[in-house]
């Protein structure tokens, strides 16, 4: 027999070598199919299968002995069969009791040949190792199945009651034998009036309803129960409820909603006994059942087809508790199937009962005088429509639906394509092999982690087990491999990584599956937007969507930050343990042992030591060599391929399936959401409709600009034009990351050593910044290339101040000059008679020149430069490159191209332009302050007054500071003399701009210092003294120029300080009705122990902590002004939409088509005047007095008394006439 034939023979006996496990389990569950591949059908009994395996082992031994006798007869050297036979016997040990090898085989081993053993004995060893691995894998699966059943049995369902009377009553009913003990017991429980049943239970807090603030442990408990029900682990939720209920301190954390949640779970399963257990605990805690409690009990009775008497007693008790039967069908969120079972139970007791129809809500009318015109019925109004047909939009909807159901989007990277050399191909093959191994290892680690967390949950601890079960193991493995792929070479903070991973799980678990129903509704909704359809009556998108009768989705509680971070940390540790690679990748001559791909190290960032997960340099090099060309994004991180859903509530709108909050906030914070939910729905209509309008703007990519940017990006970048250079261009540390060896030389002075260390730190910092900028540009450009020939949309939401932002973080119009230049409107408009002039003015504005010239002068200047403009459009990289000198070079180039196409068109007025033209506010924060205080001097400085030429407040402040400097220089002040010739508009601009938003003198000094450092010939020795001097003079200048502004700022600051001292955070309501609360509280430290490291992070959103007085008082003035500028923007957006305009904004910079600039400017000025015609400060004063000073229990507090006096002292207004703003050409220009 040849060695090859022998090898095939051994492989053929693979099944015979496999030790049999518990035969019944294997035969019944088909476990072998997962190990051996396709399962073959067999009618053999388990015992017969075991006998066949025994026969196989015996036959193999006979083959071995025959071969030995053959070799002995041929006189060949002896073969070590003893070792082979011993291995076979060991393989039989689990089923044969570990029988020893036959003596004949031991004796025959002495005459075999070592040369031939290398051919077949090694093959047998290899096969045996493979069999052992398969055995371990199979035994692991069997063990998990056994443990799962045992785990379920160990969960406690019987409650441990603190009330002896209730405990005795429960025991009596459990031991008794009436016909239907649990139904009778429930009826008796319901008849008992709720009261505190023991001294321990007396301290248990009653649930405060949906408005209760579930902080800390309560919020974590609620999310744990929710995840248990979502993942089908209802017994675990019940076990945790029993565990917490049985201990008085932990029982205080339980609320009625938690008991109801578990009861509803048992009701869905028809488990009446377990539901009654929960009712016992509910009564034991001294809580009164509410509508949800009764809905759960009756639904369970309907499923079990209970007798009418029990149901009748239940309904009678519900009526005695003051609860209406109709409320079960109108006030409790139920699925259609649950509603049917509930109705079935009710009709047993009341056959004639008819459930009330869903109440038709009374027409919700917004009462704000600012929005009266927006919601006025006007058949003549013409809302804008998209340029796409209904069929096209339906096809785009299907594309977006597929994207969100996949939860991720994979796009081609725009990095330079490498040559497919042998080295590149080998690197890609190595990566593919490694990922295959990592997937297997990650599956194993995830299963072990779940097992460990399940054990902790079984012991009554709030473990991560239900959270880990939310996503399939395949989804989690895919997510972790994507994380590993995207990890930067310098590593990432473990805390940041944990937070990101936890958030990704939270977002994905909320995907809804109402696809068919959504498709029908959305198709009807598109009739309002499509170019080839009509609707009966013109209306806003939200109004049309609500008219379709769309039910509101139940709002889900957010996870506490501690859960998010702990879950992400657990997943990160799974990745660290599973991801390993051969050491030969790092050192080719090293033994083939496995080493970690990720290392946990500590580093200093901003004087703090933080833990970092860093990839092995060999892995980073492997990725660079392979140069794979794909990037993966979450579906909510990329623009939408169809119009977003209209916003209809604080938690319903934007993406099709992925839940998005209207008001973005730190995860775990609920104060903003609670305020929004308490707010009457009609009061939010203005904000909801404005966000919908901004998201309905269709976009496309400017392909010509993208091509030019990619040309630079794939070369070596161009930092001067905002195209980041690749990491290869970063400054290299002199000798790795360690200080130079020269530092160790004795002749090097301490000063030189310190300078070397600083230089090393500087280079490393620059390298990190370049890597970050490069990655950001890579994401943006790759998405732009992916969307090059598509129409897309950017859904919006807002921050807690009301400022709006696109939901897509990587590719939107809020970014840099480069990001804005890549975008243009998908729907074009003919330029008309004035559009070309506005394009020219916009181009000059982008250059940063002629800021103090009239609009006519700017148009004339553009005509003078027409040769340079056309050259830039035709030969941007080879011509005179005039566009590169502009303040916003890429937007200027895009505008040059648009102007060139327009002037070369046969009829420029008919040229269809897609280019967005901007109108920017003139220091918009100061404009709002001047209008609030009716400050005539300040109003003139920020272009609220009509004038022939635009006023530049930054130049005026710089001139005033120069006057102060000259006076001080004449008096011999040295720093004033040094600053001669260095005070310019650029030096003071940032500080002037941010003073209105609350910048302190310290922050202003840093801003000015940064500008002075950019001046090469400024003496560095005077840097600190000069910046300190200038910030003082800038503040003095603003005090003189904007006296009314400073008085309002001081009033707002002092009011916030006093409110904070009363123990509350500052709240107010914007003129459009949006409730605002400042999320600044004293930091509460949260520590997550164990694992790679203990993570500690601070949370400033914990409302159980006292307000942070410093942040409250410093944040109130800028946040209040931000809420006013967002109100002005929303009013402008809604009125532009009503006039049929395309409108988007970047805070106080408004965009529309060139042909519509005049109309938008008129709307912008009118709405500013209407906004500030309201008594904003007096309304604020009344609201704050009612909110913080009207409680009789605190009226005698010294802080409340001072607050009342301060709030009544509203700053007096000046004499400025707001109507003049309507005639101010340069208000927005």
């Amino acid at each position: 027999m040849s060695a090859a034939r022998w090898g095939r023979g051994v492989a053929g006996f693979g099944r015979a070598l496999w030790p049999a496990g518990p035969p019944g389990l294997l035969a019944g569950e088909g476990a072998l199919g997962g190990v051996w591949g396709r399962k073959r059908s067999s009618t053999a009994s388990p015992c017969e299968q075991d006998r066949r395996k025994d026969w196989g082992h015996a036959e193999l031994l006979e083959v071995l002995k025959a071969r030995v006798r053959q070799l002995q007869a041929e006189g060949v050297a002896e073969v070590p069969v003893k070792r082979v036979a011993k291995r076979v016997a060991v393989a039989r040990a689990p089923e044969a009791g570990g029988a020893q090898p036959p003596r004949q085989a031991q004796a025959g081993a002495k005459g075999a040949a070592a040369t031939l053993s290398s051919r077949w004995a090694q093959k047998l060893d290899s096969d045996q190792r493979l069999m052992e691995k398969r055995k371990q894998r199979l035994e692991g699966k069997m063990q998990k199945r056994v443990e799962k059943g045992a785990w379920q049995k160990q969960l406690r369902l019987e409650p441990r009651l603190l009330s002896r009377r209730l405990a005795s009553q429960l025991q009596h009913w459990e031991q008794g034998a009436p016909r239907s003990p649990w139904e009778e017991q429930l009826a008796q429980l319901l008849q008992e009036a709720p009261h505190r049943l023991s001294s321990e239970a007396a301290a248990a807090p009653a649930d405060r309803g949906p408005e209760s603030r579930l902080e800390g442990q309560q919020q974590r408990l609620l999310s744990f129960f929710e995840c248990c029900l979502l993942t089908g682990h209802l017994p675990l939720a019940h076990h945790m409820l029993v565990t917490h209920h049985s201990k008085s301190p932990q029982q205080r954390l339980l609320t009625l909603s938690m008991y109801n949640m578990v009861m509803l779970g048992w009701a869905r399963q028809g488990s009446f006994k377990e539901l009654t257990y929960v009712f016992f605990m509910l009564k034991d805690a001294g809580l009164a059942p509410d509508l949800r409690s009764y809905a759960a009990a009756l639904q369970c009775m309907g499923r079990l087809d209970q007798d009418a008497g029990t149901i009748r007693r239940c309904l009678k008790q519900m009526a005695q508790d003051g609860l209406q039967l109709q409320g079960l069908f109108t006030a409790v969120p139920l699925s259609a199937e649950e509603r049917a079972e509930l109705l079935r139970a009710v009709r047993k007791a009341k056959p004639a009962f008819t459930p009330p129809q869903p109440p038709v809500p009374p027409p919700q009318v917004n009462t704000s005088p600012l929005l009266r015109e927006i919601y006025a019925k006007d058949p003549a109004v013409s809302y804008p429509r998209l340029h796409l047909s209904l069929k096209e939009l339906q096809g785009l909807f299907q594309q977006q639906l597929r994207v969100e159901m996949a939860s991720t989007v994979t796009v081609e990277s725009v990095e330079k394509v490498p040559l497919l050399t042998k080295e590149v191909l080998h690197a890609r093959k190595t990566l593919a092999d490694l990922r295959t191994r990592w997937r297997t290892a990650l599956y194993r680690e995830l299963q072990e982690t779940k097992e460990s967390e399940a054990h902790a949950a079984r012991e009554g601890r709030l473990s991560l087990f239900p959270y880990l079960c939310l996503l399939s193991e395949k989804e989690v493995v895919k997510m972790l491999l994507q994380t590993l792929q995207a990890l930067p070479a310098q590593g990432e903070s473990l805390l940041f990584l944990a937070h990101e991973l936890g958030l990704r799980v939270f977002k994905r678990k909320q995907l809804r599956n109402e696809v068919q129903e959504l498709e029908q509704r959305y198709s009807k909704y598109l009739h309002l937007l499509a170019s080839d359809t009509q609707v009966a009556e013109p209306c806003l998108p939200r109004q049309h969507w609500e008219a379709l009768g769309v039910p509101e989705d139940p709002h889900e509680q957010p996870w506490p930050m501690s859960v998010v971070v702990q879950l992400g940390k657990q997943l990160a540790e799974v990745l660290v343990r599973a991801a390993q690679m051969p050491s030969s990748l790092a050192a080719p001559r090293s033994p083939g042992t496995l080493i970690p791909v990720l290392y946990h190290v500590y580093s200093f960032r901003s004087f703090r030591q933080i833990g970092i997960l860093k990839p092995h340099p060999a892995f980073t090099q492997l990725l660079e060599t392979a140069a794979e060309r794909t990037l993966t994004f979450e579906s909510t991180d990329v623009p939408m391929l169809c119009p977003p859903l209209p916003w209809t509530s604080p938690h319903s709108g934007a993406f099709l399936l992925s839940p998005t909050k209207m008001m973005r906030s730190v995860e775990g914070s609920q104060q903003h959401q609670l305020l929004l939910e308490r707010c009457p729905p009609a009061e939010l209509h203005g904000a909801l409709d404005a966000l919908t309008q901004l998201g309905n703007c269709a976009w496309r990519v400017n392909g010509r600009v993208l091509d030019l940017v990619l040309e630079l990006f794939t070369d070596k970048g161009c930092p001067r034009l905002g195209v980041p250079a690749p990491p290869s261009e970063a400054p290299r540390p002199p000798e790795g990351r360690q200080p130079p060896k020269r530092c160790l030389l004795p002749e090097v002075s301490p000063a030189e050593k310190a300078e070397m260390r600083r230089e090393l730190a500087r280079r490393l910092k620059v390298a990190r910044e370049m890597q970050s900028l490069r990655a950001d540009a890579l994401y943006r450009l790759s998405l732009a290339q992916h969307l090059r020939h598509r129409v897309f949309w950017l859904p919006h939401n807002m921050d807690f101040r009301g400022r709006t932002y696109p939901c897509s973080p990587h590719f939107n119009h809020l970014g840099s000059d480069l990001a804005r230049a890549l975008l243009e409107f998908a729907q074009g408009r003919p330029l008309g008679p004035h559009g070309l002039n506005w394009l020219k003015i916009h181009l000059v504005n982008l250059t940063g020149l002629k800021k103090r010239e009239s609009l006519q002068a700017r148009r004339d200047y553009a005509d003078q430069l027409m040769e340079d403009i056309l050259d830039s459009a035709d030969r941007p990289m080879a011509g005179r490159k005039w566009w590169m000198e502009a303040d916003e070079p890429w937007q200027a180039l895009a505008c040059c191209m648009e102007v060139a196409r327009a002037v070369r068109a046969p009829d420029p007025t008919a040229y269809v332009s897609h280019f967005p033209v901007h109108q920017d506010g003139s220091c918009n924060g100061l404009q709002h302050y001047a209008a609030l205080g009716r400050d005539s001097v300040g109003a003139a400085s920020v272009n609220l007054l009509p004038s022939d030429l635009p006023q530049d407040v930054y130049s005026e402040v710089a001139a005033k500071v120069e006057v102060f400097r000259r006076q001080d220089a004449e008096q011999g002040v040295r720093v004033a003399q040094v600053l001669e010739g260095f005070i310019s508009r650029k030096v003071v601009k940032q500080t002037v701009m941010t003073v209105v938003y609350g910048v302190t003198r310290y922050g202003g000094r840093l801003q000015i210092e940064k500008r002075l450092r950019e001046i090469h010939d400024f003496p560095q020795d005077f840097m600190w003294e000069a910046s300190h001097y200038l910030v003082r003079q800038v503040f003095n200048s603003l005090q003189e120029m904007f006296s009314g502004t400073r008085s309002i700022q001081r009033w707002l600051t002092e009011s916030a300080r006093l409110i904070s001292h009363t123990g509350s955070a500052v709240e107010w309501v914007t003129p459009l009705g949006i409730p605002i609360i400042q999320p600044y509280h004293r930091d509460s430290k949260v520590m997550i122990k164990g694992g790679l490291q203990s993570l500690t992070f601070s949370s400033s959103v914990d409302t159980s902590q006292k307000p942070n007085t410093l942040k409250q008082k410093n944040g109130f003035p800028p946040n209040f002004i931000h809420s006013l500028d967002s109100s002005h923007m929303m009013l402008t957006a809604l009125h532009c939409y009503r006039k049929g305009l395309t409108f988007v904004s970047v805070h106080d910079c408004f965009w529309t088509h060139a042909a519509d600039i005049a109309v938008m400017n008129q709307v912008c000025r009118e709405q500013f005047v209407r906004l500030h015609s309201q008594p904003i400060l007096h309304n604020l004063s009344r609201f704050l007095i009612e909110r913080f000073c009207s409680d009789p229990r605190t009226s005698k507090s010294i802080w409340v008394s001072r607050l009342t006096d301060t709030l009544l002292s509203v700053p007096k207004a000046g004499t400025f006439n707001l109507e003049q703003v309507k005639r101010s050409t340069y208000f927005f220009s």
Side-chain angles (χ1 to χ4, degrees), residues 582-789:
S583 58
S584 57
L585 290 176
R589 295 183 180 180
S590 66
T593 57
L594 293 178
I595 59 174
V597 174
L598 295 175
Y599 285 88
H600 179 248
V601 298
Y602 286 93
S603 178
F604 281 93
R605 299 273 177 91
S606 301
F607 306 103
R608 293 189 300 116
Q609 188 181 35
I610 62 172
I612 292 175
L613 278 186
K614 184 182 177 186
H616 195 290
F619 174 68
T620 304
Q621 183 60 46
L622 183 64
L623 285 176
E624 291 179 1
T625 305
E628 295 175 314
R629 290 180 44 76
T630 57
L631 298 171
T632 303
F633 299 92
E634 294 287 313
S635 60
T636 54
D637 288 343
V638 298
M640 292 184 66
L641 302 179
C642 69
L645 296 183
W647 283 101
T648 56
S649 74
H651 45 79
S652 181
F655 294 96
L656 302 180
L657 300 176
S658 307
T660 308
K661 292 189 293 188
M662 183 185 87
M663 185 174 284
R664 53 177 66 183
S665 59
V666 178
E667 288 303 321
S669 171
Q670 294 193 89
Q671 48 190 340
H672 307 294
Q673 203 70 19
L674 289 171
L675 275 181
L676 291 173
E677 289 174 0
R678 283 199 293 259
C679 183
E683 298 301 312
L684 296 177
H685 283 174
L688 296 171
D689 292 332
L691 289 172
T692 300
Q693 186 273 325
L694 295 173
N696 274 351
C697 174
W699 298 89
R700 73 180 190 184
V701 172
N702 189 326
R704 290 189 65 191
V705 173
L706 177 60
D707 288 335
L708 295 171
V709 176
L710 289 178
E711 183 181 333
L712 291 177
F713 184 82
T714 54
D715 187 14
K716 290 189 177 181
C718 183
R720 185 171 69 89
L721 292 176
V723 183
S728 58
E729 301 299 310
R732 298 290 179 183
E735 298 179 22
R737 295 178 63 89
Q738 301 299 322
K741 294 181 179 178
R742 189 163 162 252
C743 288
L744 304 177
L745 299 178
E747 61 270 19
V748 179
S749 68
E752 289 178 305
K753 291 180 181 179
E755 181 57 33
M756 291 179 189
R757 293 190 185 95
R758 281 194 294 269
E759 176 63 17
L760 173 64
R762 186 193 68 80
R763 293 190 182 190
L764 292 175
K765 180 182 178 184
V766 170
R768 284 196 300 267
E769 291 173 349
M770 288 182 64
Q771 171 72 24
S772 177
L773 291 172
R774 181 76 176 184
D776 182 61
L778 175 64
Y779 294 163
R780 177 179 295 112
L781 296 176
S782 298
L783 284 173
Q785 181 72 358
H786 176 70
L787 297 167
R788 175 190 281 269
H789 301 298

Side-chain angles (χ1 to χ4, degrees), residues 1147-1209:
H1147 304 318
D1148 60 349
C1149 179
F1150 298 167
W1151 299 16
T1152 192
H1153 290 96
D1156 298 325
I1157 287 292
V1159 178
M1160 187 187 74
N1161 277 339
Q1162 178 188 358
V1163 171
C1164 171
R1165 285 153 178 74
E1166 288 176 351
Q1167 297 312 309
F1168 185 87
V1169 172
R1170 291 189 64 195
L1171 173 67
H1172 284 282
S1173 296
Q1174 305 295 312
I1176 294 176
L1177 292 181
H1178 286 86
N1179 288 344
L1180 175 65
S1181 173
R1182 281 193 294 271
F1183 174 84
L1184 294 178
I1185 289 174
E1186 182 180 352
R1187 174 67 181 82
F1188 300 108
C1189 305
S1190 59
D1191 190 345
R1193 294 172 296 180
T1194 60
S1195 59
K1196 296 182 179 180
S1197 166
I1198 186 173
W1199 294 112
V1200 173
S1201 176
R1202 291 180 183 177
L1203 175 60
T1204 304
D1205 294 341
T1206 301
L1207 293 176
L1208 291 173
S1209 306

Side-chain angles (χ1 to χ4, degrees), residues 1039-1101:
Q1039 178 66 42
E1040 287 188 12
M1041 296 170 61
F1042 296 91
S1043 57
T1045 295
R1046 300 302 287 176
S1047 66
I1048 295 173
Q1049 272 189 321
R1050 285 192 294 268
W1051 181 72
L1052 294 173
T1053 300
E1054 180 63 12
S1055 299
R1057 185 183 73 86
L1058 295 171
I1059 290 172
S1060 180
H1061 278 301
T1062 66
S1064 302
V1066 179
E1067 297 179 34
W1068 70 98
V1069 177
T1070 72
L1072 288 190
I1074 305 171
I1076 308 292
I1077 184 171
Q1078 295 194 144
Y1080 310 134
H1081 297 266
R1082 294 182 185 177
D1083 288 348
S1084 59
K1085 298 290 183 182
V1086 181
M1087 175 176 284
I1088 299 173
K1089 298 181 179 179
L1092 290 174
Q1093 74 174 74
S1094 294
L1095 289 180
T1096 303
F1097 60 93
S1098 299
S1099 173
S1100 62
V1101 298

Side-chain angles (χ1 to χ4, degrees), residues 186-255:
L186 178 61
Q188 183 172 336
L189 277 172
L190 289 173
Q191 291 173 7
E192 297 181 0
H195 58 276
R196 297 300 174 192
L197 302 167
S198 68
S199 58
E200 294 84 6
D207 185 59
R208 295 176 305 215
E211 297 180 355
S212 62
R213 298 185 177 185
L214 299 176
E215 299 291 346
Q217 284 294 318
Q218 283 189 327
Q219 194 176 355
R220 180 163 184 167
L221 264 172
L222 193 62
S223 64
F224 182 91
F225 290 137
E226 178 194 43
C227 290
C228 283
L229 267 64
L230 284 175
T231 56
H233 291 95
L234 178 58
L236 177 60
H238 187 102
H239 173 77
M240 195 63 64
L241 189 71
V242 170
T243 303
H244 278 69
H245 181 88
S246 62
K247 301 174 183 177
S248 182
Q250 293 183 358
Q251 188 189 111
R252 294 188 178 95
L253 300 173
L254 299 176
T255 62

Side-chain angles (χ1 to χ4, degrees), residues 484-503:
L484 179 61
Q485 177 82 8
L487 202 63
Q490 69 270 20
E492 190 61 85
S493 160
L494 178 58
L495 178 59
F496 174 81
L497 204 60
H499 182 246
E500 289 299 305
L501 284 171
L503 277 185

Side-chain angles (χ1 to χ4, degrees), residues 260-378:
N260 284 342
M261 189 179 293
V262 178
M263 274 196 291
L264 184 58
W266 289 124
R268 288 168 182 159
Q269 296 185 9
S271 301
F272 209 92
K273 178 178 178 180
E274 289 78 7
L275 184 142
T276 307
Y277 282 154
V278 180
F279 258 104
F280 264 103
M281 291 187 281
L282 186 70
K283 286 292 182 177
D284 191 46
L287 301 176
D290 64 358
L291 279 173
R292 296 194 181 199
S293 311
Y294 283 102
L298 290 168
Q299 181 191 153
C300 192
M301 293 178 187
R303 293 181 190 276
L304 296 177
D305 198 20
Q306 292 299 320
D307 62 277
T310 303
I311 298 174
R312 198 174 292 112
R313 286 196 296 271
C314 184
L315 294 177
K316 180 180 178 182
Q317 185 58 44
M318 189 176 76
Q320 291 176 0
D321 289 345
L323 302 174
Q324 298 296 321
L325 178 58
Q326 290 79 4
L328 294 175
F329 298 90
T330 59
V332 179
L334 296 171
S335 67
E337 190 261 348
E338 291 170 344
R339 183 184 176 91
E341 295 294 344
L342 177 61
L343 181 60
R344 180 183 176 189
V346 172
R347 281 182 172 169
K348 271 210 162 190
K350 296 185 175 185
F353 176 77
T354 302
Q357 294 298 320
V360 178
Q364 301 281 341
V365 180
N366 188 287
T367 57
S368 171
L370 296 172
L371 296 171
R372 190 174 295 123
E373 184 180 341
I374 293 296
Y375 299 116
K377 296 284 185 179
D378 185 358

Side-chain angles (χ1 to χ4, degrees), residues 900-959:
R901 286 192 290 264
V903 298
R904 290 167 176 167
D907 180 7
T909 62
Y911 171 73
V912 177
S913 173
H914 295 258
F915 193 81
V917 176
H918 312 168
Q919 294 288 278
D920 206 344
S922 177
C923 199
N924 189 240
L926 285 173
Q927 288 179 326
H928 283 286
Y929 268 122
L932 283 173
R934 304 296 194 270
D935 184 352
S936 299
V937 176
S941 301
V942 291
N943 293 302
L944 295 187
L945 282 173
S947 61
D948 295 332
L949 295 175
Q951 304 300 308
D952 183 15
V953 66
Y954 309 116
S955 298
E956 290 185 26
V957 172

Side-chain angles (χ1 to χ4, degrees), residues 17 39 62 375 461 477 514 644 697 803 823 829 882 944 1095 1150 1178-1179:
L17 286 172
K39 183 183 177 183
E62 291 300 321
Y375 299 116
R461 288 180 281 155
V477 168
E514 305 165 359
C697 174
R803 277 199 152 189
L823 290 168
R829 297 269 293 205
W882 169 82
L944 295 187
L1095 289 180
F1150 298 167
H1178 286 86
N1179 288 344

